[in-house]
Amino acid sequence: MYRYEIKFSNDIPKYLEISKHIKKLIDENNIDDGEKLLSIRKLAKILKVNEVTIVSAYKKLEAEGYAYQKMGSGTYAKRRDTNIKFKKEYSNTLKKISSQNLKSYVDFTGEITSSEFFPVTVFKDVLNEVLDRDGTEAFAYKESLGYEGLRNSISAFFWDNKVSSEDILILSGAQQGIDIVSKSIINVHDNVIVEKPTYGGALTVFKWRRANIFEVDILEDGVDLIQFEAILKKNRIKCFYAMSYFQNPTGATYSFEKKVRILELAEIYDFYIVEDDYLSELIYDNKEYKSFKSLDINDKVIYIKSFSKIFLPGIRLGYMISPQKCKEYIQNSKINTDISTSSLMQRALDLYINKDLWKEHISRLNTAYKDKYNFMLDCIEKYLGDKASYYTPGGGIHFYFKIATDLKINSMELFYRCMNKKVLITPGVLFYKNAKEGNNYFRLSFSEIKKPEIEEGIKIISEILKEK
């Protein structure tokens, strides 16, 4: 137990020195995230202090987010989110680039469809038709679950009426859905599993709820099941957050076999799967994918879908399907959050779907993005093939890269050097609980840029990597 050796000062309370020392051990990875700390009695004996001092030290660690207690089991280490500093730094840097100046950059950070594909004219006609049809009724907040017409359309068009419209809750986008689920089912120190790496917005929400976050490496066909099951065996897990299609940031898609096994594990270990259906419409490899929700026979999946990424970002619409057991909690949480999502936009989207305009829009998007996807692949192979490893997602809007180990450059350094040459990338540090683990990764999205910019940007990134 040499790592707990402390030289006490007469000027500082012993419990403060103990908590400071343990924090340092956790920050420097000498104590693993989730590792059980020594019992109060044992540590008091080692340090030759009374047990009340250790209790005070452990309470301070808990208060500062460095530890959590399991009833009847003991106190466990909790590594703090080192991502905050990097995220703030990255965000502030992008904010300094005005919208006007942004046009001079090759921007690989975008996560929405290009404005050239926004169906503005058609949607304006649909809005006018809704206003002519419904008048002032189009602005009413009457239905807490969302506009019934839209819920019926979602049930029919996307789920072949296999999901009741009463189980569908209209949201203001996927981020609100994650937030509502978190408020509804996650309490302080509850255990959640996330993919590693994963969407930074989800990490922020779970962190805000003060949940204990366990990360599991994501492979090309979904999370590593050996790691996943090991965590399940040792911990009482409340939920698993997963992006089932073209995961952000890696682009990975779960295999059918892994989905089935994870659903079995959800029943065995009694946890919910929070499925964020990110980009299931943008499939270029002609494979047939099935969501966790479509395979769910035990009512263990909370399904979240956003229309913002592939339609009009400004309309902020999405929906959620909840298991019966937690449906009431989730619906009440939504009502307490914002009462109702824009009635006019819900009615307009409903009409847009029923006129088969949605189907046409997605068909156009697939054609255009498949072409850009294949062009991006060619450019990556031509310019980055020997400088970074990656795999082909087969759909979606981005690629995730691991910088070759011999290049000795980290993702934040690459971000700044690219920015100085008018290219914007997303550094991998944003997608991990421990930012250091993303040092060798970066993401490129092709959703909002044209082919000439794609090639120009990738050439510049290649030249910068070559300099090292």
PDB file of all heavy atoms in Angstrom, residues 112-122 309-313 352 360-361 364-365 367-372 446-454:
ATOM      1  N   ILE A 112     -24.732  18.656 -39.832  1.00  0.00           N
ATOM      2  CA  ILE A 112     -26.082  18.718 -40.403  1.00  0.00           C
ATOM      3  C   ILE A 112     -25.974  18.655 -41.919  1.00  0.00           C
ATOM      4  O   ILE A 112     -24.881  18.809 -42.481  1.00  0.00           O
ATOM      5  CB  ILE A 112     -26.819  20.011 -39.984  1.00  0.00           C
ATOM      6  CG1 ILE A 112     -26.008  21.248 -40.401  1.00  0.00           C
ATOM      7  CG2 ILE A 112     -27.090  20.021 -38.487  1.00  0.00           C
ATOM      8  CD1 ILE A 112     -26.719  22.559 -40.162  1.00  0.00           C
ATOM      9  N   THR A 113     -27.094  18.437 -42.574  1.00  0.00           N
ATOM     10  CA  THR A 113     -27.070  18.381 -44.035  1.00  0.00           C
ATOM     11  C   THR A 113     -26.743  19.749 -44.607  1.00  0.00           C
ATOM     12  O   THR A 113     -27.052  20.777 -44.017  1.00  0.00           O
ATOM     13  CB  THR A 113     -28.434  17.915 -44.588  1.00  0.00           C
ATOM     14  OG1 THR A 113     -29.466  18.730 -44.035  1.00  0.00           O
ATOM     15  CG2 THR A 113     -28.688  16.473 -44.254  1.00  0.00           C
ATOM     16  N   SER A 114     -26.119  19.747 -45.774  1.00  0.00           N
ATOM     17  CA  SER A 114     -25.742  20.986 -46.433  1.00  0.00           C
ATOM     18  C   SER A 114     -26.982  21.810 -46.774  1.00  0.00           C
ATOM     19  O   SER A 114     -28.034  21.269 -47.131  1.00  0.00           O
ATOM     20  CB  SER A 114     -24.971  20.660 -47.721  1.00  0.00           C
ATOM     21  OG  SER A 114     -24.732  21.828 -48.467  1.00  0.00           O
ATOM     22  N   SER A 115     -26.847  23.135 -46.673  1.00  0.00           N
ATOM     23  CA  SER A 115     -27.975  24.023 -46.944  1.00  0.00           C
ATOM     24  C   SER A 115     -28.499  23.876 -48.367  1.00  0.00           C
ATOM     25  O   SER A 115     -29.655  24.186 -48.643  1.00  0.00           O
ATOM     26  CB  SER A 115     -27.584  25.483 -46.677  1.00  0.00           C
ATOM     27  OG  SER A 115     -26.458  25.843 -47.459  1.00  0.00           O
ATOM     28  N   GLU A 116     -27.657  23.368 -49.271  1.00  0.00           N
ATOM     29  CA  GLU A 116     -28.120  23.193 -50.651  1.00  0.00           C
ATOM     30  C   GLU A 116     -29.205  22.121 -50.749  1.00  0.00           C
ATOM     31  O   GLU A 116     -29.953  22.089 -51.732  1.00  0.00           O
ATOM     32  CB  GLU A 116     -26.943  22.824 -51.564  1.00  0.00           C
ATOM     33  CG  GLU A 116     -26.318  21.467 -51.265  1.00  0.00           C
ATOM     34  CD  GLU A 116     -25.134  21.163 -52.160  1.00  0.00           C
ATOM     35  OE1 GLU A 116     -25.320  21.095 -53.392  1.00  0.00           O
ATOM     36  OE2 GLU A 116     -24.020  20.999 -51.614  1.00  0.00           O
ATOM     37  N   PHE A 117     -29.316  21.280 -49.710  1.00  0.00           N
ATOM     38  CA  PHE A 117     -30.334  20.233 -49.729  1.00  0.00           C
ATOM     39  C   PHE A 117     -31.560  20.583 -48.873  1.00  0.00           C
ATOM     40  O   PHE A 117     -32.468  19.769 -48.757  1.00  0.00           O
ATOM     41  CB  PHE A 117     -29.740  18.903 -49.254  1.00  0.00           C
ATOM     42  CG  PHE A 117     -28.591  18.426 -50.089  1.00  0.00           C
ATOM     43  CD1 PHE A 117     -27.329  18.267 -49.530  1.00  0.00           C
ATOM     44  CD2 PHE A 117     -28.754  18.164 -51.440  1.00  0.00           C
ATOM     45  CE1 PHE A 117     -26.257  17.847 -50.297  1.00  0.00           C
ATOM     46  CE2 PHE A 117     -27.688  17.736 -52.218  1.00  0.00           C
ATOM     47  CZ  PHE A 117     -26.430  17.579 -51.649  1.00  0.00           C
ATOM     48  N   PHE A 118     -31.559  21.746 -48.251  1.00  0.00           N
ATOM     49  CA  PHE A 118     -32.710  22.137 -47.442  1.00  0.00           C
ATOM     50  C   PHE A 118     -33.924  22.342 -48.357  1.00  0.00           C
ATOM     51  O   PHE A 118     -33.868  23.151 -49.285  1.00  0.00           O
ATOM     52  CB  PHE A 118     -32.444  23.443 -46.683  1.00  0.00           C
ATOM     53  CG  PHE A 118     -31.449  23.338 -45.573  1.00  0.00           C
ATOM     54  CD1 PHE A 118     -31.032  24.477 -44.891  1.00  0.00           C
ATOM     55  CD2 PHE A 118     -30.914  22.119 -45.190  1.00  0.00           C
ATOM     56  CE1 PHE A 118     -30.099  24.403 -43.861  1.00  0.00           C
ATOM     57  CE2 PHE A 118     -29.984  22.028 -44.157  1.00  0.00           C
ATOM     58  CZ  PHE A 118     -29.578  23.172 -43.499  1.00  0.00           C
ATOM     59  N   PRO A 119     -35.022  21.659 -48.084  1.00  0.00           N
ATOM     60  CA  PRO A 119     -36.213  21.799 -48.933  1.00  0.00           C
ATOM     61  C   PRO A 119     -37.027  23.039 -48.555  1.00  0.00           C
ATOM     62  O   PRO A 119     -38.209  22.962 -48.222  1.00  0.00           O
ATOM     63  CB  PRO A 119     -36.987  20.511 -48.628  1.00  0.00           C
ATOM     64  CG  PRO A 119     -36.631  20.201 -47.212  1.00  0.00           C
ATOM     65  CD  PRO A 119     -35.210  20.651 -47.029  1.00  0.00           C
ATOM     66  N   VAL A 120     -36.379  24.226 -48.617  1.00  0.00           N
ATOM     67  CA  VAL A 120     -36.989  25.450 -48.110  1.00  0.00           C
ATOM     68  C   VAL A 120     -38.255  25.820 -48.869  1.00  0.00           C
ATOM     69  O   VAL A 120     -39.309  26.077 -48.273  1.00  0.00           O
ATOM     70  CB  VAL A 120     -35.976  26.621 -48.156  1.00  0.00           C
ATOM     71  CG1 VAL A 120     -36.635  27.910 -47.701  1.00  0.00           C
ATOM     72  CG2 VAL A 120     -34.774  26.313 -47.276  1.00  0.00           C
ATOM     73  N   THR A 121     -38.181  25.860 -50.199  1.00  0.00           N
ATOM     74  CA  THR A 121     -39.338  26.282 -51.003  1.00  0.00           C
ATOM     75  C   THR A 121     -40.515  25.349 -50.810  1.00  0.00           C
ATOM     76  O   THR A 121     -41.656  25.786 -50.587  1.00  0.00           O
ATOM     77  CB  THR A 121     -38.955  26.342 -52.500  1.00  0.00           C
ATOM     78  OG1 THR A 121     -37.832  27.208 -52.659  1.00  0.00           O
ATOM     79  CG2 THR A 121     -40.115  26.867 -53.330  1.00  0.00           C
ATOM     80  N   VAL A 122     -40.234  24.052 -50.871  1.00  0.00           N
ATOM     81  CA  VAL A 122     -41.306  23.057 -50.700  1.00  0.00           C
ATOM     82  C   VAL A 122     -41.895  23.144 -49.295  1.00  0.00           C
ATOM     83  O   VAL A 122     -43.122  23.106 -49.119  1.00  0.00           O
ATOM     84  CB  VAL A 122     -40.771  21.629 -50.956  1.00  0.00           C
ATOM     85  CG1 VAL A 122     -41.846  20.588 -50.676  1.00  0.00           C
ATOM     86  CG2 VAL A 122     -40.268  21.501 -52.383  1.00  0.00           C
ATOM     87  N   LYS A 309     -30.797  16.459 -38.101  1.00  0.00           N
ATOM     88  CA  LYS A 309     -29.560  16.233 -38.842  1.00  0.00           C
ATOM     89  C   LYS A 309     -29.791  16.041 -40.339  1.00  0.00           C
ATOM     90  O   LYS A 309     -28.925  16.354 -41.152  1.00  0.00           O
ATOM     91  CB  LYS A 309     -28.853  14.985 -38.290  1.00  0.00           C
ATOM     92  CG  LYS A 309     -28.320  15.133 -36.870  1.00  0.00           C
ATOM     93  CD  LYS A 309     -27.059  15.961 -36.834  1.00  0.00           C
ATOM     94  CE  LYS A 309     -26.415  15.946 -35.458  1.00  0.00           C
ATOM     95  NZ  LYS A 309     -27.156  16.654 -34.440  1.00  0.00           N
ATOM     96  N   ILE A 310     -30.947  15.529 -40.714  1.00  0.00           N
ATOM     97  CA  ILE A 310     -31.165  15.170 -42.114  1.00  0.00           C
ATOM     98  C   ILE A 310     -32.274  15.978 -42.783  1.00  0.00           C
ATOM     99  O   ILE A 310     -32.608  15.753 -43.939  1.00  0.00           O
ATOM    100  CB  ILE A 310     -31.519  13.670 -42.241  1.00  0.00           C
ATOM    101  CG1 ILE A 310     -32.661  13.317 -41.286  1.00  0.00           C
ATOM    102  CG2 ILE A 310     -30.304  12.808 -42.024  1.00  0.00           C
ATOM    103  CD1 ILE A 310     -33.156  11.919 -41.442  1.00  0.00           C
ATOM    104  N   PHE A 311     -32.838  16.946 -42.050  1.00  0.00           N
ATOM    105  CA  PHE A 311     -33.931  17.720 -42.631  1.00  0.00           C
ATOM    106  C   PHE A 311     -33.613  19.202 -42.494  1.00  0.00           C
ATOM    107  O   PHE A 311     -32.629  19.680 -43.028  1.00  0.00           O
ATOM    108  CB  PHE A 311     -35.246  17.331 -41.934  1.00  0.00           C
ATOM    109  CG  PHE A 311     -36.489  17.855 -42.614  1.00  0.00           C
ATOM    110  CD1 PHE A 311     -36.642  17.742 -43.986  1.00  0.00           C
ATOM    111  CD2 PHE A 311     -37.488  18.454 -41.877  1.00  0.00           C
ATOM    112  CE1 PHE A 311     -37.781  18.221 -44.611  1.00  0.00           C
ATOM    113  CE2 PHE A 311     -38.638  18.932 -42.491  1.00  0.00           C
ATOM    114  CZ  PHE A 311     -38.777  18.818 -43.858  1.00  0.00           C
ATOM    115  N   LEU A 312     -34.404  19.937 -41.748  1.00  0.00           N
ATOM    116  CA  LEU A 312     -34.171  21.355 -41.496  1.00  0.00           C
ATOM    117  C   LEU A 312     -33.752  21.519 -40.036  1.00  0.00           C
ATOM    118  O   LEU A 312     -34.583  21.354 -39.147  1.00  0.00           O
ATOM    119  CB  LEU A 312     -35.447  22.163 -41.770  1.00  0.00           C
ATOM    120  CG  LEU A 312     -35.910  22.215 -43.233  1.00  0.00           C
ATOM    121  CD1 LEU A 312     -37.325  22.759 -43.315  1.00  0.00           C
ATOM    122  CD2 LEU A 312     -34.980  23.077 -44.061  1.00  0.00           C
ATOM    123  N   PRO A 313     -32.479  21.799 -39.763  1.00  0.00           N
ATOM    124  CA  PRO A 313     -32.008  21.866 -38.376  1.00  0.00           C
ATOM    125  C   PRO A 313     -32.827  22.801 -37.504  1.00  0.00           C
ATOM    126  O   PRO A 313     -33.065  22.532 -36.335  1.00  0.00           O
ATOM    127  CB  PRO A 313     -30.567  22.376 -38.536  1.00  0.00           C
ATOM    128  CG  PRO A 313     -30.178  22.007 -39.911  1.00  0.00           C
ATOM    129  CD  PRO A 313     -31.415  22.078 -40.746  1.00  0.00           C
ATOM    130  N   TYR A 352     -45.822  17.085 -44.572  1.00  0.00           N
ATOM    131  CA  TYR A 352     -44.672  16.805 -45.437  1.00  0.00           C
ATOM    132  C   TYR A 352     -44.490  15.297 -45.606  1.00  0.00           C
ATOM    133  O   TYR A 352     -44.235  14.804 -46.712  1.00  0.00           O
ATOM    134  CB  TYR A 352     -43.424  17.434 -44.804  1.00  0.00           C
ATOM    135  CG  TYR A 352     -42.215  17.488 -45.696  1.00  0.00           C
ATOM    136  CD1 TYR A 352     -42.006  18.543 -46.574  1.00  0.00           C
ATOM    137  CD2 TYR A 352     -41.250  16.482 -45.648  1.00  0.00           C
ATOM    138  CE1 TYR A 352     -40.882  18.607 -47.381  1.00  0.00           C
ATOM    139  CE2 TYR A 352     -40.118  16.530 -46.442  1.00  0.00           C
ATOM    140  CZ  TYR A 352     -39.940  17.599 -47.306  1.00  0.00           C
ATOM    141  OH  TYR A 352     -38.823  17.641 -48.114  1.00  0.00           O
ATOM    142  N   GLU A 360     -39.074  11.454 -50.815  1.00  0.00           N
ATOM    143  CA  GLU A 360     -38.326  12.054 -51.927  1.00  0.00           C
ATOM    144  C   GLU A 360     -37.059  12.749 -51.416  1.00  0.00           C
ATOM    145  O   GLU A 360     -35.992  12.654 -52.027  1.00  0.00           O
ATOM    146  CB  GLU A 360     -39.209  13.071 -52.661  1.00  0.00           C
ATOM    147  CG  GLU A 360     -40.374  12.462 -53.417  1.00  0.00           C
ATOM    148  CD  GLU A 360     -41.295  13.531 -54.002  1.00  0.00           C
ATOM    149  OE1 GLU A 360     -40.855  14.699 -54.112  1.00  0.00           O
ATOM    150  OE2 GLU A 360     -42.444  13.202 -54.339  1.00  0.00           O
ATOM    151  N   HIS A 361     -37.194  13.462 -50.303  1.00  0.00           N
ATOM    152  CA  HIS A 361     -36.063  14.188 -49.724  1.00  0.00           C
ATOM    153  C   HIS A 361     -34.939  13.228 -49.330  1.00  0.00           C
ATOM    154  O   HIS A 361     -33.767  13.462 -49.655  1.00  0.00           O
ATOM    155  CB  HIS A 361     -36.546  14.972 -48.497  1.00  0.00           C
ATOM    156  CG  HIS A 361     -35.453  15.616 -47.698  1.00  0.00           C
ATOM    157  ND1 HIS A 361     -34.662  16.633 -48.205  1.00  0.00           N
ATOM    158  CD2 HIS A 361     -35.001  15.389 -46.432  1.00  0.00           C
ATOM    159  CE1 HIS A 361     -33.780  17.008 -47.283  1.00  0.00           C
ATOM    160  NE2 HIS A 361     -33.966  16.267 -46.203  1.00  0.00           N
ATOM    161  N   ARG A 364     -33.151  11.827 -52.391  1.00  0.00           N
ATOM    162  CA  ARG A 364     -32.200  12.796 -52.966  1.00  0.00           C
ATOM    163  C   ARG A 364     -30.930  12.876 -52.122  1.00  0.00           C
ATOM    164  O   ARG A 364     -29.820  12.918 -52.649  1.00  0.00           O
ATOM    165  CB  ARG A 364     -32.846  14.178 -53.065  1.00  0.00           C
ATOM    166  CG  ARG A 364     -33.821  14.348 -54.211  1.00  0.00           C
ATOM    167  CD  ARG A 364     -34.133  15.812 -54.466  1.00  0.00           C
ATOM    168  NE  ARG A 364     -34.680  16.474 -53.294  1.00  0.00           N
ATOM    169  CZ  ARG A 364     -35.970  16.512 -52.982  1.00  0.00           C
ATOM    170  NH1 ARG A 364     -36.851  15.912 -53.784  1.00  0.00           N
ATOM    171  NH2 ARG A 364     -36.403  17.126 -51.904  1.00  0.00           N
ATOM    172  N   LEU A 365     -31.128  12.908 -50.796  1.00  0.00           N
ATOM    173  CA  LEU A 365     -29.971  12.973 -49.894  1.00  0.00           C
ATOM    174  C   LEU A 365     -29.055  11.779 -50.078  1.00  0.00           C
ATOM    175  O   LEU A 365     -27.826  11.918 -50.142  1.00  0.00           O
ATOM    176  CB  LEU A 365     -30.438  13.013 -48.434  1.00  0.00           C
ATOM    177  CG  LEU A 365     -30.760  14.346 -47.787  1.00  0.00           C
ATOM    178  CD1 LEU A 365     -30.984  14.155 -46.295  1.00  0.00           C
ATOM    179  CD2 LEU A 365     -29.673  15.375 -48.013  1.00  0.00           C
ATOM    180  N   THR A 367     -28.621   9.834 -52.653  1.00  0.00           N
ATOM    181  CA  THR A 367     -27.911   9.895 -53.937  1.00  0.00           C
ATOM    182  C   THR A 367     -26.737  10.861 -53.862  1.00  0.00           C
ATOM    183  O   THR A 367     -25.608  10.540 -54.262  1.00  0.00           O
ATOM    184  CB  THR A 367     -28.869  10.327 -55.060  1.00  0.00           C
ATOM    185  OG1 THR A 367     -29.952   9.389 -55.149  1.00  0.00           O
ATOM    186  CG2 THR A 367     -28.154  10.386 -56.398  1.00  0.00           C
ATOM    187  N   ALA A 368     -27.017  12.062 -53.322  1.00  0.00           N
ATOM    188  CA  ALA A 368     -25.981  13.102 -53.253  1.00  0.00           C
ATOM    189  C   ALA A 368     -24.871  12.726 -52.283  1.00  0.00           C
ATOM    190  O   ALA A 368     -23.674  12.885 -52.586  1.00  0.00           O
ATOM    191  CB  ALA A 368     -26.615  14.430 -52.848  1.00  0.00           C
ATOM    192  N   TYR A 369     -25.238  12.208 -51.117  1.00  0.00           N
ATOM    193  CA  TYR A 369     -24.227  11.906 -50.104  1.00  0.00           C
ATOM    194  C   TYR A 369     -23.440  10.640 -50.416  1.00  0.00           C
ATOM    195  O   TYR A 369     -22.266  10.535 -50.045  1.00  0.00           O
ATOM    196  CB  TYR A 369     -24.873  11.820 -48.717  1.00  0.00           C
ATOM    197  CG  TYR A 369     -25.031  13.176 -48.078  1.00  0.00           C
ATOM    198  CD1 TYR A 369     -26.270  13.779 -47.971  1.00  0.00           C
ATOM    199  CD2 TYR A 369     -23.924  13.872 -47.605  1.00  0.00           C
ATOM    200  CE1 TYR A 369     -26.411  15.039 -47.412  1.00  0.00           C
ATOM    201  CE2 TYR A 369     -24.040  15.120 -47.044  1.00  0.00           C
ATOM    202  CZ  TYR A 369     -25.287  15.711 -46.946  1.00  0.00           C
ATOM    203  OH  TYR A 369     -25.413  16.949 -46.410  1.00  0.00           O
ATOM    204  N   LYS A 370     -24.050   9.711 -51.079  1.00  0.00           N
ATOM    205  CA  LYS A 370     -23.292   8.522 -51.488  1.00  0.00           C
ATOM    206  C   LYS A 370     -22.170   8.928 -52.443  1.00  0.00           C
ATOM    207  O   LYS A 370     -21.037   8.413 -52.357  1.00  0.00           O
ATOM    208  CB  LYS A 370     -24.211   7.504 -52.155  1.00  0.00           C
ATOM    209  CG  LYS A 370     -23.498   6.210 -52.537  1.00  0.00           C
ATOM    210  CD  LYS A 370     -24.458   5.180 -53.101  1.00  0.00           C
ATOM    211  CE  LYS A 370     -23.718   3.884 -53.432  1.00  0.00           C
ATOM    212  NZ  LYS A 370     -24.649   2.845 -53.960  1.00  0.00           N
ATOM    213  N   ASP A 371     -22.482   9.864 -53.336  1.00  0.00           N
ATOM    214  CA  ASP A 371     -21.478  10.357 -54.283  1.00  0.00           C
ATOM    215  C   ASP A 371     -20.336  11.048 -53.531  1.00  0.00           C
ATOM    216  O   ASP A 371     -19.160  10.809 -53.806  1.00  0.00           O
ATOM    217  CB  ASP A 371     -22.155  11.329 -55.258  1.00  0.00           C
ATOM    218  CG  ASP A 371     -21.198  11.809 -56.332  1.00  0.00           C
ATOM    219  OD1 ASP A 371     -20.479  10.979 -56.912  1.00  0.00           O
ATOM    220  OD2 ASP A 371     -21.162  13.032 -56.592  1.00  0.00           O
ATOM    221  N   LYS A 372     -20.682  11.902 -52.549  1.00  0.00           N
ATOM    222  CA  LYS A 372     -19.649  12.596 -51.766  1.00  0.00           C
ATOM    223  C   LYS A 372     -18.856  11.617 -50.897  1.00  0.00           C
ATOM    224  O   LYS A 372     -17.641  11.760 -50.721  1.00  0.00           O
ATOM    225  CB  LYS A 372     -20.291  13.678 -50.878  1.00  0.00           C
ATOM    226  CG  LYS A 372     -20.602  14.955 -51.611  1.00  0.00           C
ATOM    227  CD  LYS A 372     -20.492  16.180 -50.717  1.00  0.00           C
ATOM    228  CE  LYS A 372     -21.646  16.329 -49.782  1.00  0.00           C
ATOM    229  NZ  LYS A 372     -21.581  17.631 -49.044  1.00  0.00           N
ATOM    230  N   PHE A 446     -18.170  15.252 -43.962  1.00  0.00           N
ATOM    231  CA  PHE A 446     -18.259  15.786 -45.316  1.00  0.00           C
ATOM    232  C   PHE A 446     -19.642  16.342 -45.634  1.00  0.00           C
ATOM    233  O   PHE A 446     -19.954  16.667 -46.780  1.00  0.00           O
ATOM    234  CB  PHE A 446     -17.898  14.698 -46.342  1.00  0.00           C
ATOM    235  CG  PHE A 446     -18.737  13.449 -46.249  1.00  0.00           C
ATOM    236  CD1 PHE A 446     -19.948  13.337 -46.917  1.00  0.00           C
ATOM    237  CD2 PHE A 446     -18.312  12.375 -45.479  1.00  0.00           C
ATOM    238  CE1 PHE A 446     -20.714  12.175 -46.838  1.00  0.00           C
ATOM    239  CE2 PHE A 446     -19.071  11.217 -45.389  1.00  0.00           C
ATOM    240  CZ  PHE A 446     -20.283  11.124 -46.068  1.00  0.00           C
ATOM    241  N   SER A 447     -20.488  16.488 -44.616  1.00  0.00           N
ATOM    242  CA  SER A 447     -21.896  16.801 -44.865  1.00  0.00           C
ATOM    243  C   SER A 447     -22.134  18.179 -45.460  1.00  0.00           C
ATOM    244  O   SER A 447     -23.033  18.363 -46.275  1.00  0.00           O
ATOM    245  CB  SER A 447     -22.702  16.668 -43.569  1.00  0.00           C
ATOM    246  OG  SER A 447     -22.307  17.637 -42.629  1.00  0.00           O
ATOM    247  N   GLU A 448     -21.322  19.178 -45.072  1.00  0.00           N
ATOM    248  CA  GLU A 448     -21.625  20.548 -45.480  1.00  0.00           C
ATOM    249  C   GLU A 448     -20.635  21.137 -46.480  1.00  0.00           C
ATOM    250  O   GLU A 448     -20.668  22.339 -46.745  1.00  0.00           O
ATOM    251  CB  GLU A 448     -21.689  21.448 -44.232  1.00  0.00           C
ATOM    252  CG  GLU A 448     -22.787  21.064 -43.256  1.00  0.00           C
ATOM    253  CD  GLU A 448     -22.823  21.967 -42.041  1.00  0.00           C
ATOM    254  OE1 GLU A 448     -22.979  23.185 -42.227  1.00  0.00           O
ATOM    255  OE2 GLU A 448     -22.705  21.458 -40.915  1.00  0.00           O
ATOM    256  N   ILE A 449     -19.767  20.306 -47.043  1.00  0.00           N
ATOM    257  CA  ILE A 449     -18.783  20.851 -47.987  1.00  0.00           C
ATOM    258  C   ILE A 449     -18.837  20.128 -49.326  1.00  0.00           C
ATOM    259  O   ILE A 449     -19.279  18.985 -49.425  1.00  0.00           O
ATOM    260  CB  ILE A 449     -17.347  20.786 -47.409  1.00  0.00           C
ATOM    261  CG1 ILE A 449     -17.013  19.372 -46.901  1.00  0.00           C
ATOM    262  CG2 ILE A 449     -17.181  21.787 -46.293  1.00  0.00           C
ATOM    263  CD1 ILE A 449     -15.615  19.260 -46.318  1.00  0.00           C
ATOM    264  N   LYS A 450     -18.375  20.834 -50.352  1.00  0.00           N
ATOM    265  CA  LYS A 450     -18.423  20.303 -51.715  1.00  0.00           C
ATOM    266  C   LYS A 450     -17.130  19.547 -52.050  1.00  0.00           C
ATOM    267  O   LYS A 450     -16.120  19.658 -51.353  1.00  0.00           O
ATOM    268  CB  LYS A 450     -18.640  21.448 -52.701  1.00  0.00           C
ATOM    269  CG  LYS A 450     -20.005  22.127 -52.563  1.00  0.00           C
ATOM    270  CD  LYS A 450     -20.159  23.232 -53.599  1.00  0.00           C
ATOM    271  CE  LYS A 450     -21.595  23.755 -53.632  1.00  0.00           C
ATOM    272  NZ  LYS A 450     -22.033  24.374 -52.399  1.00  0.00           N
ATOM    273  N   LYS A 451     -17.174  18.811 -53.151  1.00  0.00           N
ATOM    274  CA  LYS A 451     -16.051  17.952 -53.534  1.00  0.00           C
ATOM    275  C   LYS A 451     -14.703  18.675 -53.639  1.00  0.00           C
ATOM    276  O   LYS A 451     -13.697  18.182 -53.107  1.00  0.00           O
ATOM    277  CB  LYS A 451     -16.363  17.237 -54.851  1.00  0.00           C
ATOM    278  CG  LYS A 451     -17.361  16.101 -54.730  1.00  0.00           C
ATOM    279  CD  LYS A 451     -17.506  15.456 -56.101  1.00  0.00           C
ATOM    280  CE  LYS A 451     -18.507  14.320 -56.086  1.00  0.00           C
ATOM    281  NZ  LYS A 451     -18.641  13.747 -57.434  1.00  0.00           N
ATOM    282  N   PRO A 452     -14.629  19.813 -54.341  1.00  0.00           N
ATOM    283  CA  PRO A 452     -13.317  20.478 -54.441  1.00  0.00           C
ATOM    284  C   PRO A 452     -12.742  20.834 -53.070  1.00  0.00           C
ATOM    285  O   PRO A 452     -11.529  20.717 -52.854  1.00  0.00           O
ATOM    286  CB  PRO A 452     -13.638  21.749 -55.252  1.00  0.00           C
ATOM    287  CG  PRO A 452     -14.871  21.415 -56.022  1.00  0.00           C
ATOM    288  CD  PRO A 452     -15.668  20.526 -55.120  1.00  0.00           C
ATOM    289  N   GLU A 453     -13.603  21.259 -52.139  1.00  0.00           N
ATOM    290  CA  GLU A 453     -13.152  21.590 -50.782  1.00  0.00           C
ATOM    291  C   GLU A 453     -12.687  20.353 -50.034  1.00  0.00           C
ATOM    292  O   GLU A 453     -11.729  20.393 -49.263  1.00  0.00           O
ATOM    293  CB  GLU A 453     -14.285  22.262 -50.004  1.00  0.00           C
ATOM    294  CG  GLU A 453     -14.705  23.612 -50.549  1.00  0.00           C
ATOM    295  CD  GLU A 453     -15.926  24.141 -49.829  1.00  0.00           C
ATOM    296  OE1 GLU A 453     -16.863  23.342 -49.577  1.00  0.00           O
ATOM    297  OE2 GLU A 453     -15.957  25.343 -49.523  1.00  0.00           O
ATOM    298  N   ILE A 454     -13.388  19.230 -50.244  1.00  0.00           N
ATOM    299  CA  ILE A 454     -13.005  17.964 -49.605  1.00  0.00           C
ATOM    300  C   ILE A 454     -11.576  17.603 -49.987  1.00  0.00           C
ATOM    301  O   ILE A 454     -10.731  17.326 -49.124  1.00  0.00           O
ATOM    302  CB  ILE A 454     -13.984  16.832 -50.006  1.00  0.00           C
ATOM    303  CG1 ILE A 454     -15.345  17.018 -49.331  1.00  0.00           C
ATOM    304  CG2 ILE A 454     -13.391  15.460 -49.636  1.00  0.00           C
ATOM    305  CD1 ILE A 454     -16.407  16.037 -49.792  1.00  0.00           C
TER     306      ILE A 454
END
